Amino acid sequence: MKIVIIDDNQKASADLQKKLGKFPFAQVEGIASTGFSGLELVMNVRPDVLFLDVELPDISGLDFLERSSFLSSGECRVIIYTSYDKYILPAFRKRAFDVLLKPIDPKELDTVMERLQESNDEPVDTKQAPITNNNKFLLYTNNVDFTLVDKSDIGLFSYDTDTRCWEALVAGFKKPIKLRRTIKGDNLLALDPLFVQVNQKFIINMNYLVEVTNNVCKFFPPFDKIDYVSVGRIYRKKLREKFFNL
C-alpha cells in the first residue's frame, strides 16, 4: 500500500510516518509540506492512500481534493487529518475516506488502517455505509444528503418493509432518519458492539435498554414511549449475554 503525506508541520508528518511504520503492508513513498508540491507528488507516486492536512500554507486541503482527477476518480483513498473537528463534516462532504484528529490516537489509526486494508481490493464508494469517526456517525440519506449524529444519541435502527430501507431513531430528531437502501443491517451492527439485533426489523443500542418484559424491550428516555420492539427467538441468547456483560 503506497502512502503519501501532505502536511506543513514537519513534526506531525514525521510522527505519522513513524506510526505508519508498524504496519507491514504500508509504505510511505513521500512527504510534501505544501499543497502544490503535494499535488505534484501525488501525480508522480499515484498512491493508494493520501494523508492530507487541511490548513496548508498555499491551499486548503479540502480545496486540494478538487484539484486532482486522480483523487476524485476514487483511485486513491484520502484520510484527512487535522487538529480541528470543525473540518470533519466538510471532509466527508469532499468524499474523504476517513478523518483523524491530531494528535493522532494510535487506536484510531489502527481502525483506519484496518478499514483501508479490508477495502484495498474494493472500489471506493464512501456512501455505501455509514461513516464513523470517533463517536460521530455520518449517515447518508440519499445520493446527496446526509446528517452527522453522535453514536450515543442513536436509540435504535428499524427496518421499513414498505420502503425496504433502515431508519435511525435519534434523540433530538422528531422523525426517524431514513437511510440509503444500500445500507444493510450488517453495516449498522459493525458500527459499534453496543448495537445488537433483537429481531429481523430492529437493531437496538444496549445503553438505552432497561429491561425485556413479556419479550418486549423497554428503553430509557427519550425512547421510553417505544413499546413495539420484540425479541426474536434466535436473538435472545446473544441479547442476554450482551445485557449481563454491560
Side-chain angles (χ1 to χ4, degrees):
M1 183 184 296
K2 295 188 296 183
I3 295 175
V4 162
I5 299 171
I6 303 178
D7 191 342
D8 63 325
N9 186 321
Q10 294 184 357
K11 185 178 184 301
S13 57
D15 180 62
L16 176 58
Q17 183 178 22
K18 182 178 179 180
K19 284 182 168 67
L20 291 171
K22 66 176 278 189
F23 302 98
F25 57 87
Q27 179 63 45
V28 176
E29 299 288 343
I31 298 175
S33 58
T34 68
F36 290 114
S37 63
L39 187 60
E40 182 178 359
L41 179 62
V42 165
M43 296 313 296
N44 289 333
V45 174
R46 302 187 76 80
D48 302 301
V49 179
L50 170 64
F51 282 86
L52 177 64
D53 187 24
V54 175
E55 297 191 346
L56 299 170
D58 53 350
I59 183 175
S60 162
L62 299 177
D63 291 336
F64 179 93
L65 291 177
E66 298 179 347
R67 297 290 184 111
S68 171
S69 59
F70 172 66
L71 297 178
S72 62
S73 68
E75 296 179 60
C76 174
R77 287 165 169 79
V78 179
I79 312 298
I80 292 290
Y81 79 119
T82 174
S83 301
Y84 307 100
D85 58 7
K86 66 181 180 180
Y87 292 121
I88 292 176
L89 186 56
F92 284 128
R93 214 174 254 158
K94 299 288 187 180
R95 304 289 181 85
F97 181 80
D98 214 325
V99 179
L100 288 169
L101 292 177
K102 298 179 182 178
I104 293 177
D105 183 335
K107 291 183 179 179
E108 292 295 325
L109 182 60
D110 287 347
T111 299
V112 169
M113 296 304 289
E114 182 178 350
R115 287 190 63 219
L116 286 168
Q117 191 174 27
E118 289 176 350
S119 63
N120 196 39
D121 297 324
E122 299 174 1
V124 177
D125 186 349
T126 58
K127 294 187 290 184
Q128 290 301 309
I131 299 175
T132 64
N133 178 263
N134 296 327
N135 289 325
K136 299 288 187 180
F137 289 172
L138 187 72
L139 300 176
Y140 281 90
T141 55
N142 54 45
N143 287 332
V144 295
D145 298 325
F146 48 83
T147 187
L148 189 67
V149 302
D150 286 323
K151 172 180 65 178
S152 58
D153 288 337
I154 300 176
L156 63 149
F157 297 99
S158 64
Y159 186 77
D160 188 324
T161 54
D162 292 332
T163 59
R164 292 186 296 172
C165 66
W166 285 91
E167 299 177 337
L169 279 71
V170 184
F173 288 76
K174 292 183 179 180
K175 296 181 179 180
I177 301 173
K178 195 174 295 292
L179 309 182
R180 285 167 53 92
R181 287 188 180 182
T182 52
I183 297 177
K184 307 300 182 184
D186 288 344
N187 299 136
L188 302 175
L189 291 170
L191 292 175
D192 193 280
L194 286 171
F195 292 118
V196 177
Q197 191 154 9
V198 295
N199 65 46
Q200 289 185 334
K201 294 179 59 176
F202 293 101
I203 294 173
I204 69 171
N205 184 338
M206 292 296 294
N207 276 344
Y208 284 104
L209 181 64
V210 178
E211 61 184 1
V212 177
T213 303
N214 296 325
N215 212 41
V216 175
C217 295
K218 304 294 183 181
F219 301 99
F220 287 109
F223 305 104
D224 51 313
K225 303 300 182 183
I226 296 175
D227 59 1
Y228 48 79
V229 179
S230 60
V231 181
R233 181 177 57 82
I234 64 174
Y235 300 96
R236 289 175 193 165
K237 181 179 179 181
K238 187 171 184 179
L239 178 61
R240 282 198 299 267
E241 291 174 351
K242 283 280 187 179
F243 187 81
F244 290 115
N245 286 330
L246 288 179

